[in-house]
Amino acid sequence: MKGRMIKGALFCMLLGGLVACGGNKEAGSKAEEKKVYELKISTTQAESSVIVQGLQELAKEVDEKTSGGLKITVYPSSSLGVEEDIIDQAVQGINVAVLTDAGRMSDYVPEIGIFNMAYFVDNYDEALKVMETETFKGWLNELTEHNLRVLTFNYYDGARSFMGHKEAKVPADLKGIVVRTPGAAPYVESMKAMGVTPYNIAWSEVYNGIQTKSIDGCEVQYTSAVSSHIYEVCKVVNKTEHINLLNCLVTGEGWFSKLPEEYKTILLETANETAYNNGKKIESMQAEMEKTLVDNGMKIVEVDKEAFKKSVEKAYDALKYTDLRKKIYEEIGKN
């Protein structure tokens, strides 16, 4: 009888232990519930743009690969604020990223601004080669010292050309023409070297500016020309294709450093892959978009590109980019 009582007591103790363990396991699972990281991506691009489609694809794939552990939300049309403010927030460690360009990044690493120089690269593939160089990788490392992490630099939006009313086959034909261009030094010096008078206003003001004749034209890539219906106020495309427009997706190093290592790898690799696919899609759409401009009354003017390339040499000299360009061309094997 006494033995049975002892066995019963041991059984109850064991049962109680199992119940207690079960309770602790449940509590532990709640405590270890997976943390969800969030990233807000800002862009000036409209929601209907091809690049925004690429950013949304990035968000979708990262969500799937992290099983919901890293949530990305895309905010088009500058709905989160202007680029400079978003960059400042990123530097401070806030969970934001911005689609921007080399001009903005040159405020931190001046040499990277060469990407916005006229005729620095001839096409998207050549730009990708530059991104494999030790010089370019050094720039990315420098940016991390300023608390900026480039997730990818290979978003591509096409080549920029001059659009307005006057045909211009050589730089001399553009003399005295007031053209809207971004205010960064590489753009301004390149435009001046090619003969135009650069004028910096917001892209949203360009259509009205040309319509009211406060400016004579703009230099812009086909994606924006089509989406803004620039053909309603411009009649000529002087096909200089002087700047192949690359964009980078940048966040703060402080926020990025707090991600699990697995998430860092997924975010970097997926950003690079989806941006490349998006760039190739835009590249393949160039002929179709040019046809849209022609169908809406614009004339395509084939220019003397060698004359334009020669004209911008003084811009490289003015910004002390001549030796840097030579060094990078040696790295990619370009004569």
Side-chain angles (χ1 to χ4, degrees):
M1 183 73 171
K2 186 176 179 180
R4 285 199 298 271
M5 289 177 65
I6 292 172
K7 288 181 181 179
L10 289 172
F11 177 76
C12 288
M13 288 171 65
L14 178 61
L15 181 61
L18 288 172
V19 171
C21 287
N24 288 338
K25 184 176 181 182
E26 184 178 349
S29 66
K30 288 182 179 179
E32 295 170 8
E33 207 169 282
K34 186 162 86 169
K35 182 175 180 179
V36 175
Y37 297 82
E38 295 184 30
L39 181 63
K40 300 175 182 178
I41 295 180
S42 175
T43 176
T44 60
Q45 298 267 352
E47 188 169 7
S48 59
S49 73
V50 180
I51 281 187
V52 167
Q53 293 172 17
L55 291 170
Q56 290 169 339
E57 182 63 25
L58 166 64
K60 177 185 175 184
E61 290 196 20
V62 167
D63 181 68
E64 292 174 353
K65 291 176 182 178
T66 63
S67 300
L70 176 53
K71 296 282 188 183
I72 295 176
T73 307
V74 181
Y75 293 83
S77 303
S78 300
S79 55
L80 273 187
V82 298
E83 286 184 41
E84 291 84 355
D85 289 345
I86 304 300
I87 293 171
D88 286 343
Q89 291 175 33
V91 169
Q92 293 166 22
I94 297 174
N95 59 324
V96 293
V98 60
L99 187 73
T100 186
D101 64 12
R104 297 292 195 286
M105 294 299 96
S106 67
D107 290 340
Y108 303 91
V109 180
E111 288 186 335
I112 206 169
I114 197 171
F115 264 103
N116 288 149
M117 292 292 288
Y119 299 111
F120 172 55
V121 292
D122 292 330
N123 50 55
Y124 185 38
D125 287 340
E126 190 168 275
L128 295 175
K129 288 182 181 179
V130 174
M131 293 174 202
E132 294 297 320
T133 66
E134 291 304 314
T135 296
F136 179 81
K137 293 173 184 176
W139 296 337
L140 299 189
N141 289 333
E142 284 186 61
L143 285 170
T144 62
E145 295 172 8
H146 293 280
N147 289 325
L148 289 169
R149 165 69 65 159
V150 173
L151 300 177
T152 189
F153 208 98
N154 61 338
Y155 276 98
Y156 179 63
D157 208 14
R160 296 168 78 92
S161 291
F162 291 108
M163 302 189 190
H165 294 286
K166 182 181 178 182
E167 292 188 26
K169 295 185 177 181
V170 294
D173 295 336
L174 289 172
K175 187 176 181 180
I177 300 297
V178 178
V179 170
R180 183 271 176 183
T181 190
Y187 281 106
V188 172
E189 291 299 325
S190 293
M191 297 309 110
K192 286 163 59 177
M194 287 187 284
V196 305
T197 300
Y199 189 72
N200 179 29
I201 56 174
W203 174 251
S204 59
E205 300 173 27
V206 170
Y207 184 103
N208 187 59
I210 298 173
Q211 190 174 47
T212 59
K213 299 183 179 179
S214 61
I215 57 175
D216 298 311
C218 57
E219 51 98 26
V220 65
Q221 65 279 11
Y222 282 176
T223 52
S224 292
V226 170
S227 64
S228 66
H229 295 190
I230 206 71
Y231 46 75
E232 294 175 353
V233 291
C234 291
K235 295 304 174 189
V236 173
V237 177
N238 293 303
K239 200 172 177 181
T240 50
E241 297 181 312
H242 52 270
I243 293 175
N244 280 277
L245 187 60
L246 279 299
N247 290 290
C248 52
L249 185 60
V250 182
T251 189
E253 182 64 19
W255 175 82
F256 181 81
S257 65
K258 293 176 184 177
L259 290 177
E261 291 300 318
E262 179 188 5
Y263 288 7
K264 290 179 185 177
T265 300
I266 288 172
L267 180 56
L268 290 172
E269 290 182 351
T270 308
N272 183 73
E273 180 183 338
T274 54
Y276 173 78
N277 292 338
N278 190 253
K280 282 296 180 181
K281 180 178 181 179
I282 286 177
E283 190 177 47
S284 71
M285 293 170 62
Q286 295 301 300
E288 176 188 340
M289 289 186 286
E290 182 170 288
K291 183 176 184 301
T292 298
L293 297 177
V294 171
D295 289 346
N296 282 278
M298 294 193 80
K299 178 181 179 180
I300 307 299
V301 177
E302 297 296 338
V303 307
D304 183 348
K305 278 192 181 179
E306 290 307 312
F308 277 98
K309 287 182 178 182
K310 186 176 180 180
S311 73
V312 300
E313 291 299 317
K314 53 190 174 186
Y316 282 86
D317 291 338
L319 294 178
K320 297 181 171 56
Y321 279 153
T322 302
D323 289 342
L324 176 61
R325 180 180 57 177
K326 181 180 178 182
K327 177 185 175 185
I328 293 171
Y329 282 1
E330 289 174 352
E331 288 183 90
I332 66 173
K334 181 176 179 178
N335 296 325

